[in-house]
Amino acid sequence: VIMTVNDANDANCEITSNLISCLSGGPGSLFINAGEDISLECDGDGCVDITATFLATFESLTENYTIEPITYDPPFAFNGLANSINTNIDDAWSPVEELPFDFCFFENIETQFQVGSNGGVRFDVDANDDYNGWQFSEDIPNNTNETLGEVNVFTPVHDIDPSVNDTNEIAWEILGTFPNRVLVVSYYEVPYFSCNELRATHMAVFYEFSNVIEVYIQDKPTCNSWNDGNTVLGIQNDAGTIAYVPPGRNTSDSPWETTNEAWSFSPDGEQTYVFEWVDSNGDFISNDPTINVCPDGEETYTAQITYTNCNGDVVVLTDDITVTLVATFTVDLGEDQELCDQASYDITAEVIDGNPDDATYEWSTGEDTQTITVTESGDYSVDVTIDGCSVTQTVSVLFEESPIFDLGEDFTTCFEL
């Protein structure tokens, strides 16, 4: 599948077909931005650097991931998601849910998921298993303790109890549009087991195409009086043999607590995108995100990126930037003229804030002098160029003749008094 999206500025893609549109869902969404249009003064060297920014993506059918702390700026609300689960049930897995997009996780293409009431999400689903364990003391990776071994994404995992009240929320929703759909799973003010006065609020975001996982923790206190306050944050493969955990966030680091913390887990395989600059004719310029351009007058450059997903889907995003040479001088041809009984008129291209001796002149009449003489009515234009920068001006000249009036022969009249 190959699909193209034009004008994908700031990750907001213009809809160009019934199948394509983009919505910026957060840091893991595909985007390309060529930057703002530039007006470049001609009195310099006529050149400028332009830089494109975009999301770099990497092969996700891999065992390798990169963990990075990211700015705590949740892209979605923690509460109010469409699909509420396990609201009044402790220690339970949700029913098996279908993903509308392929999500590549470790070495698998995942199409289903389940949400656990203790903060875990799993892709290795089991429709016959509705019990989500709570007791653990081991680090991840782990495949010997079922509480840990049955979880793929720890958002974090700890013993919380949604059955205590009906004001908490555990919910999920698919948001955004292709190729930037996301699965959002959120735990909102869920009480701790045994420490019901404490509340946990955290979220996991799973991005289509980039296959990035983000975790946002608004509030994670600790209940030291239950299960030793054990908590774990990270991701783990289905086999429970490989895990990625941020520093200080494994079970053995417990008890730990935090607020306003966020992490990104990104696949770290081979590069899965191709970036290029092309000119207005579609001709290739460079693969470098930053290039130096020297436009002739006004030129448009297109930043283009081709993304390939683990399932073979291909999406092309583009964004344009226009660089315009702006003159530092002006040209004055005088006011439009309406002339009476005049056979000719001289038009002079007066150069302001520039040296007329450095200028070249190209009139619509074909002449190349600063002043031309015209004898017919019409619009006259001139292109004045100094140091490669041009200004165009037009003046209108109308030639007219004085009217002749005929009042007839002289005549005499007589009046009687």
Side-chain angles (χ1 to χ4, degrees), residues 206-282:
F206 303 82
Y207 289 90
E208 180 183 18
F209 237 93
S210 69
N211 302 291
V212 169
I213 301 170
E214 293 169 352
V215 172
Y216 295 89
I217 305 174
Q218 177 176 288
D219 192 18
K220 196 222 80 66
T222 185
C223 179
N224 296 333
S225 63
W226 183 253
N227 197 34
D228 295 324
N230 287 330
T231 308
V232 58
L233 167 67
I235 63 173
Q236 175 178 255
N237 67 346
D238 287 346
T241 57
I242 302 172
Y244 290 88
V245 180
R249 294 295 178 253
N250 219 322
T251 306
S252 59
D253 300 306
S254 302
W256 56 268
E257 60 184 54
T258 188
T259 59
N260 297 347
E261 178 175 309
W263 295 92
S264 173
F265 301 85
S266 303
D268 193 23
E270 295 295 321
Q271 179 176 306
T272 56
Y273 68 91
V274 176
F275 170 80
E276 53 191 348
W277 282 106
V278 297
D279 63 20
S280 56
N281 295 319

Side-chain angles (χ1 to χ4, degrees), residues 200-412:
T201 299
H202 41 85
M203 169 195 298
V205 182
F206 303 82
Y207 289 90
E208 180 183 18
F209 237 93
S210 69
N211 302 291
V212 169
I213 301 170
E214 293 169 352
V215 172
Y216 295 89
I217 305 174
Q218 177 176 288
D219 192 18
K220 196 222 80 66
T222 185
C223 179
N224 296 333
S225 63
W226 183 253
N227 197 34
D228 295 324
N230 287 330
T231 308
V232 58
L233 167 67
I235 63 173
Q236 175 178 255
N237 67 346
D238 287 346
T241 57
I242 302 172
Y244 290 88
V245 180
R249 294 295 178 253
N250 219 322
T251 306
S252 59
D253 300 306
S254 302
W256 56 268
E257 60 184 54
T258 188
T259 59
N260 297 347
E261 178 175 309
W263 295 92
S264 173
F265 301 85
S266 303
D268 193 23
E270 295 295 321
Q271 179 176 306
T272 56
Y273 68 91
V274 176
F275 170 80
E276 53 191 348
W277 282 106
V278 297
D279 63 20
S280 56
N281 295 319
D283 295 329
F284 172 80
I285 299 174
S286 175
N287 295 121
D288 295 329
T290 298
I291 58 173
N292 187 261
V293 296
C294 305
D296 182 12
E298 177 180 292
E299 293 191 24
T300 297
Y301 305 92
T302 299
Q304 176 175 294
I305 191 164
T306 303
Y307 290 106
T308 302
N309 200 8
C310 58
N311 60 2
D313 285 352
V314 176
V315 166
V316 181
L317 304 184
T318 66
D319 190 38
D320 293 340
I321 180 173
T322 298
V323 182
T324 305
L325 286 176
V326 178
T328 57
F329 66 93
T330 59
V331 174
D332 185 10
L333 301 184
E335 299 293 330
D336 290 345
Q337 300 294 318
E338 188 171 345
L339 307 172
C340 188
D341 294 333
Q342 185 170 322
S344 65
Y345 177 72
D346 291 339
I347 309 174
T348 298
E350 182 182 355
V351 177
I352 302 172
D353 296 327
N355 188 346
D357 294 335
D358 296 332
T360 59
Y361 305 88
E362 184 177 347
W363 289 89
S364 54
T365 59
E367 296 169 87
D368 60 2
T369 57
Q370 185 177 8
T371 300
I372 63 171
T373 299
V374 297
T375 59
E376 295 181 356
S377 297
D379 293 334
Y380 295 90
S381 299
V382 64
D383 292 330
V384 181
T385 302
I386 299 177
D387 295 330
C389 198
S390 297
V391 172
T392 300
Q393 285 288 2
T394 300
V395 67
S396 178
V397 179
L398 177 63
F399 289 98
E400 294 183 322
E401 295 181 356
S402 297
I404 299 175
F405 298 94
D406 186 359
L407 301 180
E409 299 292 332
D410 293 343
F411 61 91
T412 302

Side-chain angles (χ1 to χ4, degrees), residues 64-120:
N64 301 316
Y65 278 79
T66 298
I67 304 174
E68 292 181 325
I70 58 176
T71 301
Y72 178 78
D73 186 14
F76 308 100
F78 286 98
N79 61 331
L81 297 181
N83 305 290
S84 180
I85 58 164
N86 298 339
T87 302
N88 298 308
I89 307 174
D90 189 26
D91 300 331
W93 283 106
S94 72
V96 174
E97 307 289 354
E98 300 293 326
L99 270 170
F101 57 86
D102 291 339
F103 187 79
C104 305
F105 183 72
F106 282 91
E107 295 182 309
N108 299 314
I109 297 179
E110 308 291 358
T111 59
Q112 296 177 313
F113 69 97
Q114 287 177 281
V115 178
S117 62
N118 287 320

Side-chain angles (χ1 to χ4, degrees), residues 23-193:
L23 176 68
S24 178
S29 296
L30 306 185
F31 79 96
I32 189 165
N33 186 355
E36 298 295 326
D37 291 344
I38 297 174
S39 294
L40 188 62
E41 290 188 353
C42 290
D43 57 358
D45 62 2
C47 301
V48 67
D49 285 345
I50 56 176
T51 299
T53 55
F54 51 85
L55 180 73
T57 60
F58 301 91
E59 178 58 59
S60 47
L61 295 179
T62 177
E63 295 181 348
N64 301 316
Y65 278 79
T66 298
I67 304 174
E68 292 181 325
I70 58 176
T71 301
Y72 178 78
D73 186 14
F76 308 100
F78 286 98
N79 61 331
L81 297 181
N83 305 290
S84 180
I85 58 164
N86 298 339
T87 302
N88 298 308
I89 307 174
D90 189 26
D91 300 331
W93 283 106
S94 72
V96 174
E97 307 289 354
E98 300 293 326
L99 270 170
F101 57 86
D102 291 339
F103 187 79
C104 305
F105 183 72
F106 282 91
E107 295 182 309
N108 299 314
I109 297 179
E110 308 291 358
T111 59
Q112 296 177 313
F113 69 97
Q114 287 177 281
V115 178
S117 62
N118 287 320
V121 179
R122 69 182 182 187
F123 299 113
D124 190 11
V125 300
D126 185 349
N128 298 316
D129 176 21
D130 60 5
Y131 177 71
N132 180 206
W134 60 269
Q135 189 170 17
F136 63 96
S137 59
E138 303 86 353
D139 281 346
I140 61 171
N142 183 278
N143 56 18
T144 58
N145 183 332
E146 185 176 359
T147 297
L148 300 174
E150 66 182 1
V151 178
N152 292 124
V153 180
F154 302 74
T155 75
V157 164
H158 44 169
D159 193 10
I160 49 180
D161 186 357
S163 69
V164 171
N165 60 45
D166 58 4
T167 60
N168 73 86
E169 291 184 28
I170 301 177
W172 66 272
E173 188 171 352
I174 304 295
L175 297 170
T177 53
F178 180 89
N180 281 332
R181 288 171 289 186
V182 293
L183 164 64
V184 183
V185 178
S186 180
Y187 300 78
Y188 176 69
E189 295 188 354
V190 183
Y192 277 69
F193 188 89

